[in-house]
Amino acid sequence: MKIRVALVDDQELLRTGFRMILDAQQDMEVVGEAADGVAALELLEQVRADVVLMDVRMPALDGVEATRRLLGDGFGSALDPHPKVLILTTFDLDEYAFAAIKAGASGFLLKDVPPTELLSAIRAVHSGDAVVAPSTTRRLLDRFAPLLPSSAAPPPPTLSALTEREREVLGLVAQGLSNAEIAARLVLSEATVKTHVGRILMKLDLRDRVQAVVLAYETGLVRPGPH
């Protein structure tokens, strides 16, 4: 089955360029376009999309609020899973992208992303993997250090469901290490690390690796700055 993609951006030229790239792929199809958040929600009530490429700065309703509503319990039905949202941003360090990830987006892409990276990101998100390097997400979070808990704060109960090893793995994920790098650091197989990451997501009820990084910073498990 093809990956169904919806394009949401107020720049028609950008949507046209993305559509040309996606329609040329055998495993993808563009199921609709919208120029703002309001139109996007109306579109996604009518058509089913697996992945939504969502701009953050749009008239009527921005991408952050559109993402929040789209991924909320009141949208769609239990039988029709929510689409994954990829945020489109002009700048690498963008508070809008950070807010959208907090709202449930699976990651973010720069608008000038090379076509190969765009396609890889869509496929990765569709399969449930991370779409941006955790180190990139970390740089976003480092910018918002004042919003994070102090190092003196007690460990949050949120992480109590994790084993000591799982907390260790989560900390390394948030530091920007890949599964292979974590495996080398902890002297484990890469398959074992992947299993740990999967259990972490399940126990903490997280959508993907990106949200795991956000949670690790929010709870103070990892502190901003060099590691």
Side-chain angles (χ1 to χ4, degrees), residues 1 7 24 42 63 85 98 116 120 144 165 177-178 182 209:
M1 294 181 63
L7 305 176
E42 293 174 351
V85 176
F98 174 81
T116 53
S120 295
F144 290 86
R165 175 64 86 186
L177 275 65
S178 66
I182 296 173
R209 190 184 184 109

Side-chain angles (χ1 to χ4, degrees), residues 138 142 217 222-227:
R138 187 182 70 200
D142 285 347
Y217 275 80
V222 174
R223 303 304 308 161
H227 301 279

Side-chain angles (χ1 to χ4, degrees), residues 82-116:
H82 294 123
K84 300 294 180 64
V85 176
L86 276 176
I87 293 299
L88 298 173
T89 178
T90 304
F91 303 103
D92 197 357
L93 293 177
D94 191 325
E95 63 272 21
Y96 288 93
F98 174 81
I101 289 175
K102 291 267 294 177
S106 296
F108 67 95
L109 294 172
L110 297 180
K111 286 191 175 183
D112 60 355
V113 62
T116 53

Side-chain angles (χ1 to χ4, degrees), residues 159-205:
L159 302 180
S160 61
L162 302 182
T163 66
E164 183 176 350
R165 175 64 86 186
E166 288 166 349
R167 289 183 62 170
E168 188 174 16
V169 169
L170 176 57
L172 294 175
V173 166
Q175 290 180 34
L177 275 65
S178 66
N179 285 354
E181 292 169 333
I182 296 173
R185 176 78 64 88
L186 300 180
V187 194
L188 299 171
S189 71
E190 193 169 344
T192 298
V193 173
K194 186 174 182 179
T195 298
H196 281 311
V197 173
R199 288 176 178 169
I200 290 168
L201 298 181
M202 179 184 66
K203 288 183 177 181
L204 299 181
D205 193 26

Side-chain angles (χ1 to χ4, degrees), residues 10-194:
D10 60 349
Q11 298 180 42
E12 184 177 358
L13 184 60
L14 184 141
R15 297 200 311 270
T16 300
F18 279 179
R19 176 183 279 275
M20 291 176 61
I21 294 171
L22 300 183
D23 282 344
Q25 307 304 306
Q26 294 184 347
D27 62 337
M28 296 183 189
E29 63 176 332
V30 176
V31 295
E33 299 182 22
D36 60 61
V38 172
L41 295 177
E42 293 174 351
L43 169 69
L44 294 167
E45 284 279 15
Q46 303 299 321
V47 302
R48 181 180 176 186
D50 300 310
V51 178
V52 179
L53 297 183
M54 179 86 74
D55 187 18
V56 287
R57 305 186 187 194
M58 298 181 293
L61 187 69
D62 65 34
V64 176
E65 183 58 29
T67 296
R68 185 176 293 112
R69 296 186 190 181
L70 176 62
L71 300 180
D73 293 336
F75 194 91
S77 67
L79 298 178
D80 190 13
H82 294 123
K84 300 294 180 64
V85 176
L86 276 176
I87 293 299
L88 298 173
T89 178
T90 304
F91 303 103
D92 197 357
L93 293 177
D94 191 325
E95 63 272 21
Y96 288 93
F98 174 81
I101 289 175
K102 291 267 294 177
S106 296
F108 67 95
L109 294 172
L110 297 180
K111 286 191 175 183
D112 60 355
V113 62
T116 53
E117 292 185 19
L118 170 67
L119 298 173
S120 295
I122 292 172
R123 293 185 179 108
V125 163
H126 181 251
S127 66
D129 293 333
V131 65
V132 295
S135 57
T136 304
T137 306
R138 187 182 70 200
R139 286 190 287 112
L140 260 181
L141 294 168
D142 285 347
R143 179 174 175 176
F144 290 86
L147 303 179
L148 302 173
S150 68
S151 56
T158 308
L159 302 180
S160 61
L162 302 182
T163 66
E164 183 176 350
R165 175 64 86 186
E166 288 166 349
R167 289 183 62 170
E168 188 174 16
V169 169
L170 176 57
L172 294 175
V173 166
Q175 290 180 34
L177 275 65
S178 66
N179 285 354
E181 292 169 333
I182 296 173
R185 176 78 64 88
L186 300 180
V187 194
L188 299 171
S189 71
E190 193 169 344
T192 298
V193 173
K194 186 174 182 179

